[in-house]
């Protein structure tokens, strides 16, 4: 199980040290490094990220503020030289709070925590038969077999149901939906679409057909498509 992560720190030297330390972990994949959290929001919309390592005291925005502003943040670990943000960090549900210079033992412990969380989520995901979403200030229970496909609209998604003409609109994004949908039943096929595997009728290299609609297959998701 690869842990896909981002590194954020305004100090290039600190970024390089953390990158070097993480390269010794075979199960960690560094997707990108950032000197500021400002550009990370757009990156998260288009990429699947499991974990963020981020500094707290940065000129343009505090790391804690950045996390608070994310709708569905990935797992995250604070890396900082300051003790005083520790309580706030754990109130935000940080996986860990690593003080610089980061000891290898502490980094190893933090990675193991991430592995445990991801494994637990995967096991829960494979047994779930429904999800709960907020629609017009109400919590709605939707059974997995009722969902045909899901369309992402920046900070919202449309959930298209098998026996319902109008889709349900909820504040989330496709990355957030992927976290709660069972991977055995759902497939990401495009930056804008997730489909219920059981609804797929035909598959082509650039198009996938459901009973009610044909949807495009994005180039980077071609590898996700199974042969039906």
């Amino acid at each position: 199980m690869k842990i896909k992560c981002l590194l954020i720190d305004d100090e290039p030297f600190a970024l390089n040290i953390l990158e070097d330390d993480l390269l010794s972990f075979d199960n960690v994949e560094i997707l990108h490094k950032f000197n500021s959290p400002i550009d990370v929001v757009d990156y998260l919309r288009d990429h699947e990220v499991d974990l963020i390592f981020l500094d707290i005291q940065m000129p343009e925005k505090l790391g804690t503020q950045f996390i608070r502003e994310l709708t569905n943040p990935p797992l995250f670990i604070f890396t900082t030289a300051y003790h005083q943000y520790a309580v706030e960090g754990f109130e935000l549900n940080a996986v860990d709070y690593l003080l610089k210079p980061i000891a290898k033992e502490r980094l190893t412990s933090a990675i193991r925590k991430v592995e445990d969380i991801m494994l637990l989520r995967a096991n829960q995901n494979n047994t779930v038969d429904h999800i709960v979403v907020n629609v017009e200030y109400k919590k709605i229970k939707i059974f997995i077999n009722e969902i045909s496909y899901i369309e992402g609209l920046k900070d919202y998604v449309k959930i298209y149901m098998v026996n319902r003409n109008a889709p349900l609109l909820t504040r989330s994004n496709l990355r957030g939906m992927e976290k709660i949908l069972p991977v055995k039943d759902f497939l990401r096929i495009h930056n804008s679409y997730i489909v219920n595997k059981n609804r797929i009728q035909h598959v082509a290299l650039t198009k996938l057909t459901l009973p009610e609609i044909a949807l495009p297959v994005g180039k980077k998701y071609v590898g996700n498509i199974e042969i039906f």
Side-chain angles (χ1 to χ4, degrees), residues 9-212:
D9 200 310
D10 62 309
E11 299 178 7
F13 182 68
L15 269 181
N16 292 335
I17 289 178
L18 180 57
E19 180 182 30
D20 287 344
D21 288 343
L22 289 172
L23 287 175
S24 64
F25 293 88
D26 293 335
N27 61 336
V28 173
E29 179 182 352
I30 299 171
L31 299 177
H32 207 290
K33 297 187 296 181
F34 293 89
N35 293 118
S36 166
I38 301 299
D39 299 326
V40 179
V41 175
D42 288 336
Y43 187 92
L44 288 173
R45 288 197 188 105
D46 298 328
H47 299 81
E48 296 176 18
V49 176
D50 300 313
L51 173 67
I52 300 177
F53 288 91
L54 75 159
D55 190 19
I56 294 181
Q57 284 202 348
M58 293 179 282
E60 294 177 314
K61 184 175 291 188
L62 290 177
T64 49
Q65 180 187 355
F66 167 71
I67 291 296
R68 289 184 188 279
E69 293 174 354
L70 292 179
T71 303
N72 290 293
L75 299 174
F76 59 94
I77 294 172
F78 287 120
T79 59
T80 178
Y82 301 94
H83 293 82
Q84 63 262 37
Y85 298 101
V87 173
E88 183 181 7
F90 287 112
E91 286 176 350
L92 289 171
N93 294 319
V95 174
D96 213 328
Y97 190 95
L98 304 179
L99 287 172
K100 301 175 183 176
I102 301 170
K104 186 64 178 291
E105 294 78 11
R106 286 288 292 115
L107 186 59
T108 301
S109 174
I111 294 296
R112 285 175 179 165
K113 289 179 184 178
V114 173
E115 287 179 320
D116 290 343
I117 293 170
M118 289 179 63
L119 183 60
L120 178 62
R121 285 181 176 179
N123 290 336
Q124 290 174 338
N125 218 8
N126 286 330
T127 58
V128 69
D129 68 345
H130 71 276
I131 60 173
V132 177
V133 299
N134 292 308
V135 178
E136 296 181 351
Y137 305 104
K138 296 179 182 178
K139 290 188 179 297
I140 304 293
K141 181 179 180 179
I142 306 173
F143 286 97
I144 296 304
N145 59 7
E146 295 178 326
I147 300 172
S148 182
Y149 68 100
I150 300 171
E151 179 182 8
L153 303 168
K154 197 174 180 179
D155 294 326
Y156 290 86
V157 297
K158 285 183 177 180
I159 302 174
Y160 291 84
M161 315 284 286
V162 174
N163 295 313
R164 185 186 177 103
N165 292 329
L168 297 177
L169 184 69
T170 184
R171 184 173 177 80
S172 183
N173 53 41
L174 289 189
R175 185 170 49 81
M177 295 303 297
E178 284 183 296
K179 290 180 181 179
I180 64 173
L181 292 168
V183 294
K184 67 182 180 65
D185 294 311
F186 289 87
L187 193 66
R188 182 76 176 267
I189 64 165
H190 191 274
N191 283 343
S192 301
Y193 295 106
I194 295 173
V195 301
N196 187 332
K197 293 180 183 180
N198 300 312
R199 300 282 294 167
I200 298 173
Q201 291 184 325
H202 306 288
V203 174
L205 194 59
T206 60
K207 185 174 67 173
L208 182 149
T209 305
L210 306 180
E212 66 273 37

